[in-house]
Amino acid sequence: MKHLIDIMELTTEEIDEMIETATRIIESPEEYSERCRGKKLATLFFEPSTRTRLSFEAAMYELGGNVLGFSEAQSSSAAKGESVADTVRTVGAYADIIAMRHPKEGAPLVAAARSTVPVINAGDGGHNHPTQTLTDLLTIWREKGRLHDLTIGFCGDLKFGRTVHSLIGAMSRYENVKFILISPEELRIPEYLKKEVLDRKNMEYTETTDLEGAMADLDILYMTRVQRERFFNEQDYIRLKDSYILTPDKLKNAGEELSILHPLPRVNEISVAVDDDPRAKYFEQVLNGKFIRMALILKLLEVK
Ligand code: NCD
């Protein structure tokens, strides 16, 4: 049985295949509208979510399947002290596939070990978020027509931002990809990622605090919010939250072909005035999230 806990579990061929399926779904959705008839997806969300949970649900509905689940820990037996392992064993009796988000790093991995049905990590603490990465890869593919030969700027909270961690891992497997890591000193990417991904693969990368200085070199700018819920104290959050605010003015050195991505939710880090810029692709990214999750569900359920 296959789960998706970490994006690195997928081969590049499997990623290509899912991008291909998603592209076919976009072109002829009606061909897919009955593929999961009779199947159920459970969304177990122990942490807040708008896009991830609803896109999983929309994906399953558009495949002709059904969904059940909960959207906060307080409304599940977790509030009574049930373990995630027991929760997934229970849910496996009702559903064919599970998407789980949890504030604890590693919780979906523990769940998968005890599950009788495929488990998808829909975000675990400040660790990983593989389905957002699939969304990002589909978006980059659709915008650029390639996943190689790209300079990607990551900006914001690179320490706690799980979408950044997973996307860095995924992009490290393509040829001639360079990273510019833009963050306050205190929110740089974790050491383990430098060691296990960037150094191990001899990736070209720079760390800087200067967003505008990096702008002219970028093919992709991946903005992120400062992850308030992962901070140990509110003072630090308040001090760092507005470190970067992308405005039309800050884009004046950017190339015409830049694509601006953001996993969303946005707080302050992209001014709404940027939304009208043709380079802003974060709402296209939202839509891509549904299509790639459809492709993932088909893959894990082994539906032809
Ligand atoms: C992200 C997440 O949950 O990690 N959101 C998402 O799934 N699109 C990003 C964030 O919360 O900042």
Side-chain angles (χ1 to χ4, degrees), residues 51-52 101 129 132 162-163 225 227 229 262-265 293:
R51 275 150 293 272
T52 305
R101 169 170 288 188
H129 194 344
Q132 180 63 45
R162 57 193 173 195
T163 64
R225 96 188 144 91
Q227 305 276 302
E229 65 276 37
H262 189 311
L264 304 180
R293 287 181 175 101

Side-chain angles (χ1 to χ4, degrees), residues 53-70:
R53 186 171 63 85
L54 297 186
S55 68
F56 263 115
E57 296 188 356
M60 194 51 160
Y61 283 126
E62 292 197 19
L63 291 167
N66 288 299
V67 293
L68 63 164
F70 53 81

